[in-house]
């Protein structure tokens, strides 16, 4: 496969492997790959110092042009594993869609787009466009008219554009199916087949999945050309995730969640329930105790969903309560704890839930509440985890008298105004630090969305910052701000 020159017209052709002398772990160093120095330097800047196992196993093959089926758990770095070959196949001077990434949900598509943009920084002017349902099609048409090199989207909306003739895939050279298992769960098999029909036959196809059910295998067999298969089913490092089971009566289950939170005081917890009703009930119980808990569920509209996720990610919400379906594929860093409020009937699902904590070398807690009726499920979990579970009595969960309820360290302020108003994170940071004099260490994540900007500020300055922003200016304009 010929590789386009990634260096831009005026620069000399980059030498692959123009990298520092091999270090002790050169096998997992990105420098062992045929990537241009600009790309390697950008990875270094992003803090990607060595490859994750799935990247190390797949990139030598995919950068050589092979089709690939890769299975690895959530959080293992699959996005970069397909984004780097996709970018290597790209000719930035050709203004046509050359890569398409299909994702199951808009959130995942947004996350993938962000990661591709970060990785594409090594090269000027690579345009990546997200095309998902739930966003107005009119704006997408305008963006498509401006041209894009890479499109990331959900199968339904991509098909929609293909049918309208507003998306042309004739120049495509890389097709990625991300979270293929999830797309099949959501009934996208036929949509995917139709999208593939619209792609040129000569292309590289990469399929990524957290699990590898039969449906994924037959999907792959239909579309792929002699694919290489990689499976990384490493179990989580047992010492990093501390799992504890507590036996509960059904009547005390929701109360027990509050006990766990106030005893262990994790800053960010993902609580899994088996049903939506249980999610709703748990949020009500926790909120009544003064704990900031939010529910992630399918009935939220996109804006509400974004708000929930922003608040959780910026540490102004202590507990995100979700069913497995709602939580699937979320990439949330810094999760101190996972709570299995109910035991899932599917032992593999339990392993996935628990794998959400203790990521990125952090330590994590996984707590599970089990009633007598759920002991059969616990038995199956023990079987696939290959070990007996560790049980602790609920009675040891003590909360000192008069202790404050668990509070998140940050508070989210919502500024009405976003990308449409050309607000950038630096504008908000400037308003808070330069204009209002707050120390930068008290300001957390800043998320700029289309119509809104969310800034996390330390709880101790929330009221002052809210007043200050409302009275002052952001990017030279008065703004309306409210606390979420
Ligand atoms: P997956 O798709 O497998 O769930 P992601 O691609 O979302 O995982 O990656 C999880 C996190 O790890 C992201 O925040 C990403 O930026 C980070 N990451 C990916 N590759 C590396 C790397 N080689 N070094 C450090 N961090 C990485
Ligand atoms: Mg992913």
């Amino acid at each position: 496969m010929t590789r386009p020159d990634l260096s831009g017209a005026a620069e000399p052709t980059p030498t692959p492997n123009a990298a520092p002398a091999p270090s002790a772990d050169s096998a997992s160093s990105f420098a062992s790959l045929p990537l241009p120095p600009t790309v390697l330097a950008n990875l270094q800047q992003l803090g990607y110092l060595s490859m994750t196992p799935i990247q190390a196993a797949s990139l030598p093959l995919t950068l050589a042009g092979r089709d690939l089926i890769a299975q690895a758990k959530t959080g293992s770095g699959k996005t970069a594993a397909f984004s780097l070959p996709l970018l290597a196949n790209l000719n930035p001077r050709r203004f046509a869609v050359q890569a398409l990434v299909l994702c199951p949900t808009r959130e995942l598509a947004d996350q993938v787009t962000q990661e591709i943009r970060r990785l594409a920084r090594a090269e000027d002017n690579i345009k990546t466009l997200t095309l998902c349902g739930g966003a107005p099609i009119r704006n997408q048409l305008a963006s498509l008219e401006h041209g894009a090199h890479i499109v990331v989207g959900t199968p339904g909306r991509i098909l929609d554009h293909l049918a309208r003739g507003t998306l042309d895939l004739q120049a495509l050279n890389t097709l990625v199916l991300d979270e293929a298992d999830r797309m099949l769960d959501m009934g996208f098999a036929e949509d995917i087949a139709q999208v593939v029909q619209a792609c040129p036959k000569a292309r590289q196809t990469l399929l990524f999945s957290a699990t590898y059910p039969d449906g994924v295998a037959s999907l792959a067999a239909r579309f792929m050309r002699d694919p290489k298969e990689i499976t990384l089913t490493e179990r989580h490092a047992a010492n990093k995730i501390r799992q504890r089971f507590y036996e509960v009566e059904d009547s005390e289950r929701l109360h027990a969640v509050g006990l766990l939170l106030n005893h262990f005081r994790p800053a960010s917890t993902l609580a899994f329930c088996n049903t939506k009703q249980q999610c709703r009930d748990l949020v009500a119980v926790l909120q009544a105790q003064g704990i900031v808990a939010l529910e992630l569920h399918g009935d939220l509209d996109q804006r509400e969903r974004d708000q929930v996720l922003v608040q959780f990610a910026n540490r102004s919400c202590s507990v995100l309560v979700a069913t497995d379906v709602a939580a699937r594929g979320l990439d949330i860093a810094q999760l101190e704890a996972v709570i299995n409020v109910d035991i899932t009937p599917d032992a593999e699902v339990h392993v996935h839930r628990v794998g959400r904590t203790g990521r990125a070398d952090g330590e994590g807690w996984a707590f599970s509440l089990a009633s007598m009726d759920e002991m059969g499920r616990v038995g199956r979990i023990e079987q696939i985890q290959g070990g007996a579970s560790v049980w602790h009595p609920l009675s040891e969960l003590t909360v000192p008298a008069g202790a404050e309820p668990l509070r998140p360290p940050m508070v989210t302020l919502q500024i009405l105004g976003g990308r449409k108003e050309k607000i950038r994170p630096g504008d908000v940071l400037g308003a808070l630090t330069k204009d209002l004099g707050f120390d930068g260490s008290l300001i957390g994540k800043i998320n700029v969305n289309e119509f809104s900007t969310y800034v996390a500020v330390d709880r101790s300055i929330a009221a002052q910052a809210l007043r200050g922003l409302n009275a002052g200016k952001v990017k030279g304009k008065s703004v309306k701000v409210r606390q979420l």
Side-chain angles (χ1 to χ4, degrees):
M1 160 174 248
T2 51
R3 203 148 284 289
D5 176 3
L6 282 167
S7 65
E11 286 163 33
T13 309
T15 332
N17 287 327
S23 60
D25 64 344
S26 60
S28 66
S29 160
F30 283 102
S32 66
L33 299 170
L35 291 170
T38 47
V39 173
L40 293 175
N42 184 42
L43 286 166
Q44 192 95 31
Q45 263 201 345
L46 289 172
Y48 290 18
L49 304 180
S50 60
M51 293 189 269
T52 66
I54 189 68
Q55 291 163 359
S58 67
L59 284 168
L61 297 160
T62 51
L63 287 171
R66 284 289 296 265
D67 277 11
L68 175 80
I69 300 171
Q71 185 205 338
K73 68 179 173 112
T74 305
S76 55
K78 294 192 285 293
T79 319
F82 63 71
S83 301
L84 288 169
L86 164 168
L87 289 165
N89 287 344
L90 205 81
N91 178 354
R93 279 157 295 174
R94 179 160 187 203
F95 293 102
V97 176
Q98 297 166 58
L100 172 65
V101 182
L102 293 178
C103 299
T105 64
R106 201 193 77 159
E107 272 121 40
L108 287 164
D110 282 339
Q111 285 176 10
V112 167
T113 302
Q114 281 171 20
E115 177 86 344
I116 291 180
R117 289 194 179 134
R118 276 199 292 269
L119 292 168
R121 282 198 312 219
E123 178 79 35
D124 283 340
N125 299 324
I126 293 184
K127 285 197 62 179
T128 306
L129 189 63
T130 321
L131 297 178
C132 296
I137 205 147
R138 231 176 321 112
N139 303 358
Q140 297 180 348
L141 296 179
S143 308
L144 275 166
E145 270 172 21
H146 284 99
H149 297 98
I150 304 166
V151 167
V152 182
T154 46
R157 183 54 68 92
I158 297 292
L159 258 192
D160 200 349
H161 281 287
L162 287 170
R164 289 164 179 255
T166 44
L167 175 65
D168 180 359
L169 297 178
Q170 287 313 302
L172 183 118
N173 54 35
T174 317
L175 172 67
V176 179
L177 308 180
D178 191 20
E179 308 244 358
D181 50 352
R182 175 93 175 102
M183 289 200 284
L184 292 183
D185 284 354
M186 293 175 67
F188 281 139
E190 263 332 290
D191 287 1
I192 293 171
Q194 284 191 45
V195 173
V196 173
Q197 290 279 309
C199 298
K201 285 229 156 36
R203 58 159 199 269
Q204 187 176 16
T205 308
L206 309 173
L207 183 152
F208 286 78
S209 205
T211 61
Y212 197 62
D214 292 345
V216 173
S218 52
L219 186 73
R222 285 166 72 185
F223 310 131
M224 303 184 74
R225 178 181 42 113
D226 185 24
K228 184 84 187 146
E229 290 181 31
I230 295 177
T231 305
L232 287 181
T233 44
E234 28 150 359
R235 294 294 180 210
H236 327 296
N239 53 342
K240 286 207 184 128
I241 299 173
R242 293 162 291 184
Q243 270 210 74
R244 287 187 178 180
F245 285 75
Y246 296 83
E247 189 182 334
V248 294
E249 303 284 340
D250 274 321
S251 58
E252 60 187 352
R253 195 187 290 271
L254 300 183
H255 176 67
V257 177
L259 287 177
L260 283 168
L261 293 168
N262 282 319
H263 181 82
F264 290 98
R265 307 188 83 76
S268 292
T269 301
L270 187 54
F272 287 102
C273 301
N274 288 354
T275 64
K276 285 194 216 170
Q277 186 58 48
Q278 183 84 314
C279 290
R280 271 194 289 277
D281 294 347
L282 177 60
V283 168
V285 166
L286 294 178
Q287 285 181 347
Q289 295 178 22
I291 292 175
V292 182
L294 294 170
E295 186 191 350
L296 190 68
H297 60 76
D299 302 337
L300 297 177
D301 69 30
Q302 204 60 59
R303 197 180 42 86
E304 295 167 323
R305 223 176 139 79
D306 286 346
Q307 275 193 8
V308 169
L309 290 174
V310 161
Q311 290 177 81
F312 189 62
N314 74 16
R315 320 206 107 201
S316 59
C317 159
S318 303
V319 190
L320 187 65
V321 179
T323 59
D324 296 291
V325 172
R328 193 117 176 230
L330 289 181
D331 174 31
I332 302 164
Q334 291 192 304
L335 209 51
E336 276 88 355
V338 162
I339 300 180
N340 296 301
V341 181
D342 307 299
I343 305 297
T344 158
D346 183 338
E348 282 287 345
V349 168
H350 179 88
V351 175
H352 278 287
R353 286 179 173 185
V354 166
R356 299 307 198 98
T357 183
R359 284 158 58 175
D361 293 336
E363 292 200 328
W365 284 107
F367 304 114
S368 302
L369 304 175
S371 65
M372 279 315 285
D373 291 346
E374 291 169 322
M375 292 305 166
R377 297 176 178 180
V378 174
R380 280 195 296 282
I381 290 168
E382 290 181 334
Q383 270 172 17
I384 75 162
Q385 291 194 326
S389 30
V390 177
W391 291 85
H392 283 250
L394 263 193
S395 59
E396 86 181 15
L397 300 178
T398 50
V399 181
E404 286 264 300
L406 177 70
R407 289 217 179 281
M410 311 298 279
V411 165
T412 300
L413 303 180
Q414 179 188 19
I415 301 170
L416 305 180
R419 272 201 302 276
K420 276 270 179 305
E421 283 72 29
K422 304 221 183 316
I423 292 182
R424 282 169 311 174
D427 302 324
V428 179
L429 188 63
L432 285 164
T433 55
K434 292 210 192 72
D435 304 352
L436 297 171
F438 292 114
D439 196 276
S441 65
L442 299 173
I443 316 299
K445 271 198 179 175
I446 301 173
N447 296 81
V448 183
N449 290 4
E450 199 163 5
F451 301 108
S452 277
T453 300
Y454 302 94
V455 52
V457 299
D458 195 272
R459 176 168 296 281
S460 64
I461 61 160
Q464 263 175 295
L466 178 65
R467 255 181 280 122
L469 284 174
N470 267 319
K473 292 190 164 163
V474 174
K475 213 176 172 96
K477 284 209 192 102
S478 304
V479 286
K480 269 211 153 56
V481 187
R482 63 180 188 121
Q483 180 175 332
L484 290 187

